[in-house]
Every structure is written in C-alpha cells, then in structure tokens.
Amino acid sequence: MTYALAHAMTQPLSAVPAAGPHLTVLAGALGHPFFQHALLAGTAIAAAAGLTGYFLVLRAQVFVGDALSHVAFTGALAALAMGVDLRIGLYAAAVAVALLLGSLGRRGRADDVAIGSVFSWIVGLGVFFLTLYTTSHSAGNGSAGVSVLFGSIFGLSATQALTSALVGAGICIAVVAVARPLLFASLDEAVAAARGVPVRTLGFVFLALVGACAAEATQAVGSLLILGLLAAPAGAAHRLTGRPLPGLALSVLLAVAEMWTGLGVSYAVPRMPPSFSILAAATAVYAATYVPRLRRRPAAVPA
C-alpha cells in the first residue's frame, strides 16, 4: 500500500478550472479512490467517536477508552495469530471486555480498580499474542501488527470503507437513541434510578458501544491513539459549552472536522502519517480552548 500510495501521489492531477492551490489539492485528493475510502470511513468513525467520547468525559470514564484501546490491540493480534480476520478479534475483544468492566463496576459503570486490573492483564496478553504472531505468522502479513498499532486509513478497500461507515452510522444511531436517558443517568444516577431509568442496563449498553467504537477507530488512528480521538474533541466541547445537547453536537462536529483536516494534511504532505495529522488537529483544537480562559480574568466582586 505504501508503494501504491506513493505512485498515486506522483500521478498528474486531473485538469481543474483555474483556482487557488487549496482547491486544486482538494480536487486532486477527491479524485483518488484511496482518499474517497478514507473520507467515507473516517467521517463515520469520527462522528461515532465524538458521540461516545462526549459521554465518556461526562461520566468520568475516559480511562475506559484507554483500556479498550489496548484491548483492541490484543484482540486484533489474537485474531491474526489464529489466522482469522483481525476485525473479528477487534470487535469481539473490545465489546466483551467493555461488558466485563461494566459487570465489575457499580451499576454498569467500570471503576478505576476494575479497569486497572483488567488493563494490566490485557497488556500482558497482548505481549503474548504479539510474540506468537511475529514468530509464526508475520511472514505472510508482516505489516498487519503495525497497522493495528498506528492505523491504516489510507489502506482501506472499498468494502472495508463501506463496512466502517455502516458500523459507525449504527453506533451513532444507537447513541442518539439512548442519549436522553443516558444523559439523565450520567448527571444524577440516584435520581434517575428512582425515576425508573434502567441505569445498570444503560451502563452496559454504553460500554458495549464504546467497545465497538474503539474497535472501529483502530482502523483509522490505531490502537495507540484511539484515546485522543475519543477524548480531545469531547473535552473541547465540554470546555466550550456547558449545555449537554449543543455540547454533544459540537463534539461530533469537532471530531469530523479534525478527521477531515488530518486527512487533507496527510494528502498534501505525504510524509506525515494520517494518524498523526488527525490527532495533531484534535490536540490543537483542545489546546486552543484554553486561550480565552487564560486571557479572561474574573470580575472584581463589589464590597
């Protein structure tokens, strides 16, 4: 795929009307199938990450995203070591461990002790499967382990991109469907339970959605960088507005915009990996939310 990408980048761009260089680069990017596939899959993945990430930050469960990123890596390597499609391992491991964390916590919420215990075990298991894979199967697909770690969104086929888009859309629909009761349970768990909201069931559903999102996002930014895509846009949205529904929409918009920016930068600068560009854009936006607060000073309280 590296050679194919380099070859595609050296081909002459299609003739376009005289316009600025940015429009010319954009027209050239959209003319390549690999960029179209990345844009389709990346948009759906970013939207799903923005939705689930907002509730992760709201529920103070960002550590879950970090743990599930390593679970995705372990599951993918386990599938590769067994000779099956790595996506089977990604989804099965991420969703199963997410539900396990929910069962160990209180009312479907994974606590830090449970996450830390499972996290350490999963990392050790990942080292085992990495050794098993590299010593017995790496000759057939030696770059698969690296793509799991750092993502390979420019290497998605049309079928993989369509699958990612459908899965991402399904996650978005599911999160929107449970958004109101989940918001109630996240803000005031005791009152929500007293009002008949199935708090524990919602916790399990949400963790399963986070697991599926982490597995899907691995293809875009890799298991090592999933946390940034889940946390940075949502964290920026939380800092920019305290209203839940506008904040949820803003988190999605930021995540999608950062995904598009990262893909465009990586196309314009081929030496810059898309995973780095996407996360760099997300980090820059989150850091920018601190600037107005640094300049703002609290008003003096009258005596």
Side-chain angles (χ1 to χ4, degrees):
M1 180 58 203
T2 302
Y3 171 77
L5 177 58
H7 179 70
M9 297 290 291
T10 57
Q11 297 304 305
L13 301 177
S14 303
V16 295
H22 298 293
L23 293 179
T24 303
V25 172
L26 177 61
L30 294 177
H32 294 298
F34 75 87
F35 193 87
Q36 297 170 5
H37 300 160
L39 195 63
L40 174 63
T43 301
I45 291 171
L51 286 172
T52 55
Y54 184 86
F55 283 105
L56 279 177
V57 175
L58 182 65
R59 295 165 67 88
Q61 290 184 304
V62 176
F63 192 22
V64 173
D66 188 23
L68 290 179
S69 66
H70 292 78
V71 171
F73 173 68
T74 300
L77 285 179
L80 290 172
M82 296 175 186
V84 299
D85 191 337
L86 65 86
R87 287 175 295 181
I88 296 176
L90 279 174
Y91 290 109
V95 174
V97 173
L99 295 176
L100 173 63
L101 292 175
S103 65
L104 296 176
R106 179 177 57 88
R107 288 185 175 179
R109 285 202 188 197
D111 55 41
D112 290 345
V113 176
I115 296 172
S117 301
V118 175
F119 184 35
S120 58
W121 173 65
I122 286 295
V123 171
L125 199 59
V127 173
F128 167 74
F129 283 119
L130 177 62
T131 304
L132 184 62
Y133 171 66
T134 54
T135 56
S136 58
H137 293 79
S138 60
N141 190 9
S143 63
V146 177
S147 67
V148 171
L149 281 173
F150 303 105
S152 58
I153 193 168
F154 278 159
L156 297 178
S157 64
T159 302
Q160 291 173 330
L162 180 60
T163 301
S164 297
L166 292 176
V167 172
I171 294 172
C172 291
I173 293 172
V175 174
V176 170
V178 300
R180 284 188 176 274
L182 182 61
L183 179 62
F184 189 11
S186 301
L187 293 176
D188 199 328
E189 187 177 273
V191 174
R195 293 290 298 272
V197 177
V199 174
R200 184 173 178 81
T201 301
L202 279 174
F204 280 113
V205 170
F206 174 66
L207 286 176
L209 292 174
V210 174
C213 184
E216 192 60 33
T218 299
Q219 300 183 75
V221 297
S223 61
L224 291 182
L225 303 176
I226 289 175
L227 183 60
L229 190 60
L230 288 171
H238 275 277
R239 292 186 60 82
L240 292 173
T241 177
R243 301 171 60 190
L245 295 182
L248 196 61
L250 181 59
S251 179
V252 174
L253 291 176
L254 289 176
V256 172
E258 290 155 5
M259 175 66 71
W260 290 355
T261 301
L263 294 178
V265 170
S266 291
Y267 177 85
V269 186
R271 294 194 178 191
M272 191 173 293
S275 300
F276 169 78
S277 301
I278 295 167
L279 268 299
T283 304
V285 171
Y286 180 72
T289 61
Y290 282 86
V291 174
R293 293 176 179 266
L294 289 177
R295 293 179 178 177
R296 189 183 307 161
R297 293 292 182 268
V301 179

